[in-house]
Amino acid sequence: MAEGEGAPPPPGSWIKDLADALDEGGCDLETVRNIIQGRQLPADLRAKVWKIALNVVGKGDSLASWDGSLDLPEQSIIHKDCQDLIDQLSVPEEEKSVLTLDIESVITFYCKSRNVKYSSCLGWIHLLKPLVHLHLPRSDLYNCFYAIMNKFIPRDCFMKGRPFHLFRLLLQYHEPELCSFLDTKKMTPDSYALNWLGSLFSYYCSAEVTQAIWDGYLQQADPFFIYFLMLIILVNAKDVILAQESDKEEMIKFLETSPANLDLEDIEDLFSLAQYYCSKTPASFRKDNHSLFGSSLLGLKDDDTDLSQALCLAVSVSEILQANQQQGEGVRFFVVDCRPAEQYNAGHLSTAFHLDSDLMLQNPSEFAQSVKSLLEAQKQSIESGSIAGGEHLCFMGSGREEEDMYMNMVLAHFLQKNKEYVSIAKGGFMALQQHLADINVEGPENGYGHWIASTSGSRNSISSVDGDSPNGSGDGKGVKSLVNKMTVALKTKSVNVKEKVISFIENTSTPVDRIPFNISWPDRASLERHVSSSDRVGKPYRGVKPVFSIGDEEEYDTDEIDSSSMSDDDRKEVVNIQTWINKPDVKYNFPCNEVKENGHMFPSHLLVTATHMYCLREIPSRKGLAYIQSRQALNSVVKITSKKKHPELITFKYGNSNTSGIEILAVERYLIPNAGDATKAIKQQIMKVLDALES
């Protein structure tokens, strides 16, 4: 079959230039792009351009060594799907059988060579549809299909797959209100965008629109660009989505089919808007998730980050440092350091604004004032053109999971306020230290030394590796970053904030000292307090040593499992809160907030019976009703701990005990007013259960 025929283009036109370049051979994608410049691609040249974009020009016939056997267990399904595709196309009757065999052979050989089981829901038929329109020989049809699957279809493109968790993070970054609305409705991206991504829009779009989208997408040579096209489709429908009052299934259907409304004249705007949103997205979005695309060998070393549990988009510390040195319209970050004041004072990014995350629980009114000051400082830094300025908020913690839980609460606060461009510094300050140490190894003249600063006025906790004295050359004068100047000025505007002992920024007249970045930081072990075995109380049961204990929480636990993250509200029992509180077997009721590992808090009730503890999570949209979030036997409680700084934040650990020790099976955290009374009552009830078991 020919690859497209038509009348010759008029002389002197860009189409003739493109045709000549393609005919000469050896034409690369960059040359093609320079000629086309985003204009609509002529149908008769599309096959050649796509083959160049997919890098299959000159590829051999992969099916040449195959015996042609169509004998897979699911062969009948493949054959039927291929016939259905041909029936949808305007194919002359005499060509149908040959074309059906070509398509069936491509799918069958792909399954055999890749050891993949075929299923209709994979959407391969829809990927083949635009290629069939090109009238390619079977060998080219297979090579193009293989290249698209390998380069442009992300790994794990199925329900609850990693690509859709990543898309949710992108949506949240740019359109937090829309993302929050869809989350509330339990409408996850895989429920409406599975066929968008799996078919590159060919599932719902007309043949002409699909070809136009693929023309632009393949020329981009950026597999992640599909995410921004998906984002624009949602953004375009935002007003309609937010105004929807129909049920969940109807809304999903509306979203799923929305690409079908695209016309040819919409494609230029679609790509322009996608480019804009792309330019407003941190580069880490691509770099940290590049393993989603490409060969399986590269994918074996996938990032082990669970995107389904990510609170927001993560940005690498290297990008944070580089972004604010660049000129132009790229992404620039306003870094918010959420570590405790003593850690911030010991050493911090010189452009960072300090917001002590402990304030959120310790002093909510001061926290609110601090947030107001933060936003004002961000505005001033942008207006002044400071290197500290940026419209993208990036929160930095210590890099220690347990310690950063309070920072996560602050992050969740900003997200719940629908603040756009919110991200987190991946690995926190520990990652920043390591990055600066790494680039120091590569050479001392790298220009990053000024990034680390101290506001403590001393260097007791930081020692220079090379033995220079604190007043060594180059550091004597001290430098105050613009953000530090602004935050001190902002503090003086508010007498209340100025008089606070706990402050979101250290109010000091001491200059910000420049310090070398090849420094030795306080040992992590010196910051930890571990509960010893002598802290444990309780009586032995089940023939082993006592495992139940109450005490201060270890600073860094590594064996914790957030059991509440495994639940699905759609399957939980809905109950009347007051009815349950009034049950005769309920001994105690403690109003509280359930605290998730990512910082989100949910108004809840802890109910304690003679043998069990229940968490009822209130349903915001249904007053007086709640989900039964968890049900735990009291004899499974192995430890109840609290934070020294936040005694009202209580952690319950559940598990089993045996001769080899304790196995933690679940962890739950609650913010309980009058936590001392609550834990005392729960402890007494647990001891009664243990005494009964022992006797």
Side-chain angles (χ1 to χ4, degrees):
M1 288 176 283
E3 293 187 7
E5 298 175 357
S13 69
W14 69 268
I15 296 178
K16 184 178 187 305
D17 293 339
L18 177 61
D20 291 343
L22 294 173
D23 289 338
E24 288 173 6
C27 185
D28 60 12
L29 183 57
E30 189 62 32
T31 303
V32 168
R33 276 199 297 242
N34 288 337
I35 297 174
I36 298 174
Q37 295 183 7
R39 290 171 288 211
Q40 188 172 347
L41 194 60
D44 60 313
L45 300 178
R46 180 169 286 121
K48 291 181 178 180
V49 171
W50 284 15
K51 285 168 65 177
I52 290 172
L54 293 170
N55 195 29
V56 299
V57 176
K59 295 276 179 160
D61 185 356
S62 301
L63 286 74
S65 59
W66 177 48
D67 62 6
S69 299
L70 304 175
D71 53 3
L72 289 173
E74 57 275 12
Q75 199 67 51
S76 59
I77 300 174
I78 297 174
H79 183 73
K80 181 181 183 303
D81 287 348
C82 293
Q83 281 189 322
D84 290 344
L85 172 60
I86 295 301
D87 290 342
Q88 296 172 26
L89 306 176
S90 301
V91 180
E93 194 66 35
E94 63 273 12
E95 296 180 11
K96 283 188 176 181
S97 59
V98 175
L99 193 52
T100 302
L101 180 60
D102 281 351
I103 299 171
E104 187 171 356
S105 297
V106 166
I107 293 176
T108 303
F109 182 72
Y110 184 85
C111 288
K112 289 187 174 185
S113 62
R114 305 284 290 181
N115 195 26
V116 178
K117 183 176 181 180
Y118 179 80
S119 170
S120 297
C121 65
L122 292 172
W124 294 354
I125 287 293
H126 300 284
L127 276 178
L128 281 161
K129 192 190 321 183
L131 298 176
V132 170
H133 282 289
L134 301 183
H135 306 294
L136 298 168
R138 188 178 69 168
S139 60
D140 283 344
L141 182 64
Y142 177 81
N143 288 337
C144 288
F145 173 72
Y146 180 91
I148 289 172
M149 290 292 296
N150 188 48
K151 296 178 182 178
F152 295 101
I153 302 299
R155 200 168 282 105
D156 301 335
C157 189
F158 45 69
M159 295 297 288
K160 298 184 179 179
R162 183 181 172 93
F164 300 101
H165 297 312
L166 181 61
F167 179 67
R168 184 197 162 276
L169 294 177
L170 181 68
L171 176 63
Q172 179 192 58
Y173 193 79
H174 291 283
E175 293 289 342
E177 181 186 11
L178 180 55
C179 182
S180 177
F181 178 82
L182 294 175
D183 286 348
T184 302
K185 299 292 184 180
K186 298 290 185 295
M187 294 168 58
T188 54
D190 55 341
S191 67
Y192 57 83
L194 182 64
N195 288 321
W196 297 7
L197 193 55
S199 72
L200 306 182
F201 293 115
S202 66
Y203 191 98
Y204 289 108
C205 294
S206 66
E208 293 77 14
V209 169
T210 300
Q211 287 173 342
I213 292 175
W214 283 31
D215 285 345
Y217 181 47
L218 297 183
Q219 287 180 62
Q220 288 282 335
D222 173 15
F224 284 96
F225 197 74
I226 192 75
Y227 278 96
F228 298 97
L229 296 175
M230 292 164 60
L231 180 63
I232 299 308
I233 288 176
L234 275 189
V235 171
N236 187 55
K238 178 180 177 179
D239 292 341
V240 179
I241 295 170
L242 295 179
Q244 283 277 355
E245 296 182 359
S246 52
D247 62 29
K248 177 180 175 180
E249 294 304 318
E250 287 183 7
M251 289 182 67
I252 289 176
K253 192 66 178 176
F254 166 77
L255 282 180
E256 191 177 13
T257 57
S258 55
N261 298 320
L262 287 172
D263 294 323
L264 272 178
E265 52 266 28
D266 298 326
I267 304 305
E268 184 178 350
D269 289 341
L270 175 69
F271 273 78
S272 296
L273 288 169
Q275 288 281 15
Y276 172 78
Y277 276 80
C278 184
S279 70
K280 293 288 186 180
T281 303
S284 296
F285 172 74
R286 287 178 172 81
K287 291 181 179 178
D288 291 349
N289 298 284
H290 68 276
S291 60
L292 277 178
F293 298 93
S295 67
S296 58
L297 290 176
L298 293 174
L300 292 175
K301 199 177 179 181
D302 273 0
D303 188 348
D304 59 0
T305 304
D306 184 359
L307 293 180
S308 67
Q309 299 300 312
L311 185 58
C312 64
L313 206 61
V315 178
S316 69
V317 291
S318 60
E319 180 178 3
I320 294 170
L321 294 182
Q322 293 165 8
N324 285 29
Q325 292 189 108
Q326 296 172 354
Q327 302 296 321
E329 299 297 318
V331 174
R332 294 172 64 85
F333 299 100
F334 185 82
V335 180
V336 183
D337 192 323
C338 292
R339 294 175 300 145
E342 61 271 16
Q343 291 186 32
Y344 176 83
N345 292 337
H348 60 268
L349 193 64
S350 61
T351 56
F353 184 103
H354 186 223
L355 177 66
D356 193 338
S357 56
D358 289 352
L359 287 178
M360 191 170 184
L361 296 180
Q362 290 178 343
N363 198 327
S365 60
E366 186 180 342
F367 174 78
Q369 178 63 40
S370 301
V371 170
K372 184 178 178 181
S373 298
L374 182 157
L375 297 175
E376 181 63 27
Q378 182 190 24
K379 179 182 176 183
Q380 289 188 24
S381 67
I382 293 173
E383 291 174 351
S384 67
S386 163
I387 62 168
E391 59 181 341
H392 298 253
L393 278 179
C394 185
F395 291 81
M396 179 176 287
S398 67
R400 303 178 183 95
E401 182 177 352
E402 190 67 18
E403 198 172 88
D404 287 344
M405 185 173 67
Y406 307 110
M407 178 197 66
N408 290 339
M409 291 182 187
V410 174
L411 250 174
H413 170 83
F414 277 83
L415 293 173
Q416 288 166 356
K417 298 291 185 183
N418 294 328
K419 178 69 176 171
E420 64 180 6
Y421 302 151
V422 171
S423 63
I424 186 171
K426 188 176 182 180
F429 195 72
M430 288 174 65
L432 177 64
Q433 295 169 223
Q434 185 61 53
H435 176 70
L436 293 177
D438 290 345
I439 60 176
N440 184 42
V441 171
E442 294 174 7
E445 303 300 327
N446 51 62
Y448 283 100
H450 65 284
W451 283 109
I452 297 296
S454 167
T455 55
S456 61
S458 69
R459 300 187 185 213
N460 294 335
S461 61
I462 304 175
S463 59
S464 175
V465 171
D466 56 15
D468 288 344
S469 66
N471 296 319
S473 62
D475 291 342
K477 294 182 180 179
V479 179
K480 221 183 212 330
S481 73
L482 177 61
V483 171
N484 279 311
K485 289 179 181 177
M486 286 191 297
T487 50
V488 170
L490 283 165
K491 288 183 65 179
T492 61
K493 294 179 182 178
S494 169
V495 176
N496 291 333
V497 175
K498 187 176 180 181
E499 291 178 348
K500 298 290 186 181
V501 177
I502 303 171
S503 177
F504 66 98
I505 289 184
E506 188 71 15
N507 188 14
T508 173
S509 58
T510 307
V512 179
D513 296 328
R514 181 184 301 174
I515 59 178
F517 51 80
N518 53 336
I519 51 182
S520 57
W521 302 90
D523 183 37
R524 170 174 168 173
S526 67
L527 301 174
E528 300 181 6
R529 177 193 180 274
H530 291 282
V531 177
S532 66
S533 58
S534 62
D535 292 333
R536 296 180 175 178
V537 295
K539 296 186 178 182
Y541 70 106
R542 296 181 185 172
V544 297
K545 294 180 180 180
V547 293
F548 168 67
S549 67
I550 296 181
D552 292 326
E553 188 170 338
E554 292 97 326
E555 289 299 316
Y556 312 109
D557 267 335
T558 57
D559 61 348
E560 299 189 352
I561 304 168
D562 187 359
S563 62
S564 58
S565 67
M566 303 173 186
S567 56
D568 182 353
D569 287 347
D570 288 340
R571 294 194 294 269
K572 290 176 195 162
E573 183 181 354
V574 177
V575 298
N576 184 288
I577 298 173
Q578 201 57 48
T579 300
W580 268 62
I581 291 174
N582 294 335
K583 280 188 173 186
D585 58 335
V586 173
K587 296 182 176 295
Y588 303 101
N589 165 40
F590 302 108
C592 61
N593 276 287
E594 179 194 359
V595 181
K596 302 280 283 184
E597 194 67 33
N598 58 17
H600 279 300
M601 291 191 286
F602 301 92
S604 305
H605 294 263
L606 272 183
L607 305 186
V608 182
T609 69
T611 57
H612 286 78
M613 186 164 69
Y614 295 82
C615 173
L616 305 186
R617 182 194 287 182
E618 295 179 11
I619 305 174
S621 59
R622 302 171 70 180
K623 190 174 181 180
L625 300 182
Y627 295 116
I628 301 180
Q629 180 68 11
S630 74
R631 175 183 182 273
Q632 303 285 1
L634 291 177
N635 65 345
S636 69
V637 178
V638 295
K639 187 175 288 188
I640 303 176
T641 56
S642 65
K643 286 285 187 182
K644 282 185 177 180
K645 289 185 178 180
H646 310 296
E648 68 276 22
L649 184 62
I650 307 299
T651 299
F652 294 91
K653 298 183 181 181
Y654 309 93
N656 295 327
S657 62
N658 49 51
T659 53
S660 61
I662 305 169
E663 180 187 9
I664 302 296
L665 300 177
V667 175
E668 296 173 357
R669 290 184 178 84
Y670 300 96
L671 197 62
I672 309 176
N674 302 317
D677 295 339
T679 53
K680 181 180 178 181
I682 294 170
K683 174 195 170 184
Q684 290 174 348
Q685 198 59 41
I686 292 172
M687 298 310 296
K688 289 180 182 179
V689 173
L690 298 184
D691 287 341
L693 286 170
E694 186 178 303
S695 61

